[in-house]
Amino acid sequence: MTVDPITLNIVGTALAAIPREMAANLRRAAFSSVVREARDYAVALVDPRGNVVSQAEAIPIMTAGISHAIAAVLAEIDPAALTGDDAILYNDPFRGGQHLQDIYLFTPIFHEGTLAGFAASVAHHVDIGGGEPGLTIKAREVYQEGIRLPGRPFSVSRDWHGGFVEQLFRLNVRVPDLVVGDLNAQFAANNVAAERLRELVARHGHELTAAVMDELQDYAERRLRDSIAEIPDGDYTAEEIIDASTWGGDRHHVRVAVRVRGSDLEVDFTGTDPQVPANLNCPFASTVSSVQSAIRGLLRDKDIPFNEGCNRPIRVSAPYGSILNPAAPAAVRARLTPASRAFDAVIRALAEALPDRVVATGYDTTSAAALSYLDPHSHRYEVVLEVLGGGWGAGAAGDGADALDNPISNCASAPVEALEIDYSHFRVTEFALIPGSGGDGRNRGGLGFVRTYEATRDGVTFSAYSDRHRYGARGLFGGGDGATGGLEVTRSDGTVQRLSHIDAVTLAAGERVSLRTGGGGGYGPPAERPAVRREADLRDGLIVNEPVKETPQ
């Protein structure tokens, strides 16, 4: 069916508006701070064949991953057998999912008995079982990290709302009100999508709506291909490193070859290190998502709608059994670290081809931190999860941004006031930029920051994973490297204990743990930075007389 441009614009705009409303409702209905404040979620509208049609701007690595998850689910069920009362919960990292905390909810949408599409939402849940609250730092296999959900349909009326599936969650997570509350927020978002899509189909009919869905994907593919074609044909390579896990070794390597041929682009991670017996492995769907995010960030056309059409010109491969495509039962909780290095490697590889569009490597690490407490009287847990970033790399157009989350995570820092209203087992005593933490250069790398938590109860557990505690973000075209991050505990007797980048510690009341994030790399030779800008940086407290240098551990 051919769709005229006016109708395409009208119906296409309506389809694009549905996920935006879903995202707003999910955030408003969420219970946990990681969803409500950090906004660690994504939503999409999917066509009846499982192709993503439209998505809200949310977490890039989640947004790009929705198509992989629903493809894996629909490959193992019969969509014709679904009913309007069905729902599917899914999180398997080895078949299209990401890590276990990212739970996908897919609900079919019917109009007058015909499947019109699917509502899709995914949110990061603060606890999903496993060996430790929030984060199981020492997990060596996925079984230690929590519940795996197989992606099979269940009846919402029978199995949720106090039924078997809801009770399964309540009995296997430490903060059931938060987890079930956030799942209910996902149901609310999906229900909004169902209402809006049914209204649209009632107005325009199934055939026209489906034709617009198809054309939107074709349109996105055409625009993406036009943008890729602007990249000079060639083979481009790069390497990035990850701090080795706490089980030994010095570093892990992510190696990439990017091949551009006309409007087709191939990204091959052959040569990347094998998977490790720690939580530092990245499911393949997350690897693909990181590549898509990197490529889209480099293209001149910045407002290409993201849907299934964007997947067609880009081919991604990674060796099975590697850190970017692990075999089960690998632990994957810290998957954002290797995914971030894949993101960085693609950008660095294309620096030669697109010097005016690339940016230097940023801290580009999500420092995930969990603070948990089991009340000895009520026997109830308090668990909070923080998602923290650092400085971004500088580019040709200007300095790097200060204190932002990893580009492929893109979470917000939860306000201190919101955390202290919701939780009583800790307080935040410091949240400040670190002067001089950005790499020097013609354009300066963004600054990292320090966030300090003080326990208000005996027995508070702090656990975290991060990266770039040994090797800072690298500058580009002569720019300096960013400062490294770090973790340290100040005990009640005043002694200071340095922690690893993947570590856990138990605090007594009054003891503090400081999480320091690094800065981004600089762009261009430092000698080319105008004196007036350097003087302004010094006056504003953004730099010190000598750049901050961290001693490798």
Side-chain angles (χ1 to χ4, degrees):
M1 179 180 184
T2 302
V3 183
D4 67 86
I6 294 175
T7 302
L8 177 64
N9 186 274
I10 292 171
V11 180
T13 300
L15 290 169
I18 291 173
R20 290 198 290 269
E21 186 176 359
M22 291 174 69
N25 282 13
L26 199 162
R27 185 188 177 201
R28 284 198 294 263
F31 277 53
S32 72
S33 61
V34 71
V35 178
R36 186 188 68 244
E37 305 294 346
R39 308 183 194 184
D40 200 343
Y41 61 85
V43 294
L45 184 67
V46 181
D47 73 17
R49 299 186 302 277
N51 300 312
V52 171
V53 173
S54 57
Q55 304 186 75
E57 292 184 0
I59 305 302
I61 198 164
M62 284 184 175
T63 300
I66 288 175
S67 61
H68 296 272
I70 195 165
V73 168
L74 293 182
E76 297 190 359
I77 68 171
D78 179 10
L82 294 172
T83 72
D85 185 45
D86 286 330
I88 298 166
L89 290 168
Y90 187 67
N91 70 346
D92 190 346
F94 307 104
R95 294 183 301 127
Q98 304 213 14
H99 57 193
L100 298 186
Q101 287 71 23
D102 290 346
I103 299 179
Y104 291 87
L105 173 67
F106 301 116
T107 50
I109 303 171
F110 290 86
H111 177 70
E112 295 180 349
T114 300
L115 181 64
F118 293 88
S121 60
V122 53
H124 185 116
H125 291 269
V126 68
D127 188 81
I128 195 66
E132 301 292 338
L135 293 173
T136 305
I137 295 303
K138 295 184 178 180
R140 299 174 73 89
E141 57 182 9
V142 73
Y143 304 114
Q144 297 170 303
E145 296 189 304
I147 301 172
R148 284 166 72 185
L149 305 171
R152 295 298 188 271
F154 65 90
S155 166
V156 176
S157 61
R158 182 191 65 209
D159 298 326
W160 198 247
H161 306 302
F164 174 78
V165 176
E166 181 182 320
Q167 291 305 313
L168 180 68
F169 277 94
R170 288 190 175 277
L171 290 174
N172 285 279
V173 301
R174 296 174 178 85
V175 282
D177 289 345
L178 294 185
V179 174
V180 172
D182 285 349
L183 286 169
N184 280 330
Q186 289 183 247
F187 273 108
N190 285 27
N191 288 341
V192 166
E195 291 178 13
R196 297 295 178 261
L197 184 57
R198 282 195 289 265
E199 291 170 357
L200 198 63
V201 173
R203 185 177 302 119
H204 299 284
H206 277 285
E207 185 180 8
L208 177 60
T209 303
V212 171
M213 289 179 172
D214 290 343
E215 177 54 30
L216 289 175
Q217 296 169 56
D218 293 341
Y219 170 70
E221 179 185 3
R222 291 193 299 270
R223 285 184 59 180
L224 192 68
R225 287 191 178 279
D226 287 345
S227 292
I228 291 174
E230 295 179 358
I231 304 174
D233 282 3
D235 296 345
Y236 309 97
T237 61
E239 176 182 295
E240 286 288 335
I241 60 174
I242 305 167
D243 290 354
S245 69
T246 52
W247 287 270
D250 178 63
R251 63 183 76 182
H252 305 300
H253 299 85
V254 171
R255 299 182 174 96
V256 71
V258 180
R259 303 181 181 94
V260 182
R261 300 292 186 272
S263 65
D264 290 301
L265 192 148
E266 180 181 354
V267 179
D268 181 5
F269 288 100
T270 296
T272 292
D273 284 359
Q275 67 189 68
V276 294
N279 66 0
L280 204 68
N281 298 291
C282 179
F284 186 62
S286 295
T287 298
V288 175
S289 299
S290 67
V291 170
Q292 292 169 329
S293 299
I295 296 302
R296 286 175 61 84
L298 293 175
L299 300 180
R300 193 180 305 279
D301 192 346
K302 298 299 184 185
D303 62 348
I304 301 172
F306 192 87
N307 57 40
E308 191 62 36
C310 295
N311 294 329
R312 299 169 188 166
I314 301 174
R315 179 185 174 191
V316 183
S317 60
Y320 183 65
S322 71
I323 201 170
L324 293 179
N325 187 10
V332 296
R333 178 62 176 84
R335 65 84 168 82
L336 205 56
T337 297
S340 300
R341 298 302 153 257
F343 173 89
D344 292 339
V346 170
I347 292 176
R348 185 171 289 277
L350 290 171
E352 174 189 343
L354 303 169
D356 294 333
R357 298 191 208 170
V358 297
V359 294
T361 303
Y363 186 66
D364 292 355
T365 292
T366 289
S367 297
L371 293 106
S372 62
Y373 174 70
L374 177 61
D375 190 300
H377 305 293
S378 68
H379 307 291
R380 294 175 65 89
Y381 270 99
E382 286 191 67
V383 181
V384 64
L385 183 68
E386 287 268 71
V387 182
L388 303 172
W392 283 24
D399 295 342
D402 302 326
L404 289 182
D405 191 19
N406 183 341
I408 60 173
S409 174
N410 198 38
C411 289
S413 296
V416 171
E417 297 84 352
L419 294 175
E420 294 183 352
I421 288 171
D422 286 349
Y423 305 100
S424 63
H425 60 296
F426 72 94
R427 64 172 64 95
V428 178
T429 60
E430 182 183 22
F431 186 29
L433 294 174
I434 301 175
S437 54
D440 202 359
R442 182 197 318 144
N443 291 321
R444 173 183 52 78
L447 304 185
F449 61 87
V450 60
R451 194 153 161 119
T452 300
Y453 307 88
E454 181 181 308
T456 58
R457 305 280 192 275
D458 289 336
V460 171
T461 298
F462 175 90
S463 54
Y465 68 78
S466 188
D467 190 32
R468 299 207 190 283
H469 284 203
R470 293 176 179 156
Y471 311 101
R474 289 188 291 169
L476 197 60
F477 302 128
D481 295 348
T484 55
L487 281 168
E488 63 182 32
V489 178
T490 303
R491 295 297 188 181
S492 54
D493 62 1
T495 60
V496 177
Q497 174 188 356
R498 293 289 297 270
L499 301 179
S500 171
H501 65 292
I502 304 176
D503 218 331
V505 66
T506 301
L507 305 173
E511 294 185 330
R512 301 184 305 279
V513 58
S514 294
L515 187 154
R516 188 177 66 254
T517 72
Y523 185 103
E528 295 181 5
R529 187 168 182 83
V532 64
R533 294 178 65 189
R534 195 174 294 280
E535 291 167 2
D537 287 342
L538 189 61
R539 182 178 62 250
D540 294 339
L542 301 179
I543 62 171
V544 291
N545 288 325
E546 295 294 333
V548 172
K549 299 293 184 183
E550 290 291 333
T551 302
Q553 299 180 31

